[in-house]
Amino acid sequence: DGGITQSPKYLFRKEGQNVTLSCEQNLNHDAMYWYRQDPGQGLRLIYYSQIVNDFQKGDIAEGYSVSREKKESFPLTVTSAQKNPTAFYLCASRLGSEAFFGQGTRLTVV
Amino acid sequence: GQSLEQPSEVTAVEGAIVQINCTYQTSGFYGLSWYQQHDGGAPTFLSYNALDGLEETGRFSSFLSRSDSYGYLLLQELQMKDSASYFCAVSGSGYALNFGKGTSLLVTP
């Protein structure tokens, strides 16, 4: 089955540690996205990538980093510089007008 | 930059019709799309409008007016399973896809 896979579903980290969230897709889509979702805040764009080896900052990129070395993979690193990292993170890929989302990773930093 | 405004909450009765509005401001615009998200789940695509007018997909319809920077999602024959959050999203320049804060729809018996 084609789709977007995010792992793990739940992730716990201590404050001050970097953590990398995985996102893999087998849909052969060029464009991929990372969003952060907090209650009442909707989906806020962190980073997006139109093509391999290229990515752009979204509205809330500070404290995050990404890479796009392969078409299938778009990992997100939440660095210690991110002041409020606890959130629900969603990855998506896009073909034309339609975006396809993974099931999300709920990150809790304690 | 881009901004999207939509109501935070809407309540409607089962079997009724509900309209969720979305106004947007963007420096580059290609189209307006709508997504549904149930609690704890992944957003799923509902519809997309690139041109002015109404697009119909089953019980759901979406409308766009580019000159007014406005669109809406119309849900007919509401069912309990339609209780969810609904997001409008703008496709802008450079492949960006920006979402509104979402409208929480509660369908009551």
Side-chain angles (χ1 to χ4, degrees), chain A residues 85-107:
Chain A
T86 294
F88 187 51
Y89 291 88
L90 285 160
C91 177
S93 69
R94 181 177 164 195
L95 179 65
S97 60
E98 184 173 352
F100 299 80
F101 284 83
Q103 291 301 310
T105 293
R106 192 166 296 280
L107 173 65

Side-chain angles (χ1 to χ4, degrees), chain A residues 19-70:
Chain A
V19 59
T20 298
L21 280 60
S22 170
C23 179
E24 302 282 329
Q25 56 106 351
N26 59 5
L27 300 170
N28 201 34
H29 293 168
D30 285 318
M32 295 188 74
Y33 302 80
W34 274 105
Y35 294 91
R36 169 180 173 142
Q37 187 170 31
D38 298 282
Q41 294 295 316
L43 280 70
R44 291 187 289 170
L45 183 61
I46 304 173
Y47 270 98
Y48 63 100
S49 169
Q50 295 176 233
I51 200 168
V52 173
N53 292 322
D54 183 62
F55 47 83
Q56 307 294 329
K57 291 182 179 180
D59 297 325
I60 57 165
E62 185 175 351
Y64 300 97
S65 66
V66 293
S67 63
R68 187 83 188 276
E69 297 177 0
K70 299 186 300 181

Side-chain angles (χ1 to χ4, degrees), chain B residues 2 15 24 32 38 41-42 90 92-93 102-103:
Chain B
Q2 299 181 341
Y24 59 87
L32 185 71
H38 286 98
V90 167
S93 56
T103 298

Side-chain angles (χ1 to χ4, degrees), chain A residues 59, chain B residues 1-3 25-28:
Chain A
D59 297 325
Chain B
Q2 299 181 341
S3 69
Q25 290 184 327
T26 178
S27 55

